[in-house]
Amino acid sequence: MLFDINPKEHRRDLYDREGELKEIQDALRLGERLLILYGVRRVGKSSLLRVALRETNIPHAIVDVRRIYFEYGAVSREALYRGILEYFTRNLGLLEKAGFKARDALSRIKGIHLTELGFEVEPLAPLPSFTELLSRIDEWCRRRGLRFVMAFDEAQYLRFGGVTKYDGIIAWSIDNLPGITFILTGSEVGLFKDFLRLSDPQAPLFGRYRREILVGRFTRHQSIDFLYRGFKEVGVAATTEELEEAVDMLDGIAGWLTYYGYYRAIRGLSHREALNTVFDEGSKLVLSELTSVISLSKRRYTAILKAVASGASTWSDIKAYVIARTGRITDKRFTELLKRLVKYGYLAKKGDHYVIPDPVVEHACRLL
Ligand code: ADP
Ligand code: MG
């Protein structure tokens, strides 16, 4: 169903993304080692990733690094292994179909064992190194003429690896494990680029060939068509004016459009109620995500976002607003905070103007 609010798993539930799917499939067919999917929150990266890997029927593991970070407070090796092993456990059948016998592939790795419930990390044994784990998988797959995809969803959180330097491990694997392809996705695009440091000669990933795919918003035409098909699929009538209004208000962000469709078609709300609910509930979601980002300088970040949401857009207008609300601030500090919000994707810079690129985020920031 198009209006299912979970990330999509199946091609039939995914609207379009033909071009992106084909690119991912091409890259895998060519044996490329590093694939990067960029895009703002809720645009459909996780859905695209899941559908692509299922469609290509390729052995893989997908780890939601953001979830690991929030669950464990850091992205230790052990936490990451748990993520990978959980994925294997939950998808044994799917992986077998792709020719990957997880039990066999991992059977000789010490520190990881198999119980009735699935794979587990042995609590007391020393953990295998990540390079060892990947080497085993690489070896197992290559012997059988298979490629393995290690996918890190919201990979910018890998920067919380503590002593484990994931960028170095990924770079090493790209150089040494020809049977493994990494797919990394990132919503906080600036942070993601900071983490990868692809153009920094001192950084491990510098100079590695990679394919970058930007997962963009739907065009206006696609957005309307998406809603149209979604309503048609569940037999709910909606007028063209309503669809257009929804798209005018929510833009081409797949996630918000899906929520609107869901509230209306599945929960039975009217057009108006559904739109209001997307903004109300969406704002709560946005604010809870935002809280963790701005916690270190909350008053000032809040003032900046509120300034932009209320129409200030130039550096000096925003700064004046922030000073009026929170007192003096140096130019340097102010610019730092502003840049950080751009890095996290809460602000975007267009020429000399700062904007909030997501209408629901903008709404949420007005409430700050
Ligand atoms: P991201 O990983 O970029 O944050 P998700 O893949 O989680 O985005 O998608 C956000 C929401 O939008 C989910 O409810 C998902 O089902 C829906 N969605 C995203 N892209 C599509 C698409 N192409 N077709 C149908 N639904 C989509
Ligand atoms: Mg996602």
Side-chain angles (χ1 to χ4, degrees), residues 5 16 42 45-46 48 68 103 105 170 195 200 209 228 232 260 269 294 302-303 335:
I5 53 175
D16 193 22
R42 287 175 276 269
K45 298 174 298 298
S46 300
L48 175 63
I68 302 243
R103 287 169 204 277
I170 294 171
F195 164 68
D200 172 359
Y209 172 80
Y228 173 79
K232 191 162 166 213
Y260 164 75
L269 303 186
I294 64 175
T302 305
T335 305

Side-chain angles (χ1 to χ4, degrees), residues 2 4-8 13-15 17 40-47 218 226 254-255 258:
L2 287 171
D4 183 346
I5 53 175
N6 298 304
K8 303 301 194 285
D13 300 321
L14 190 76
Y15 177 79
R17 298 298 185 203
V40 297
R41 285 184 197 79
R42 287 175 276 269
V43 80
K45 298 174 298 298
S46 300
S47 299
F218 293 153
F226 169 68
T258 302

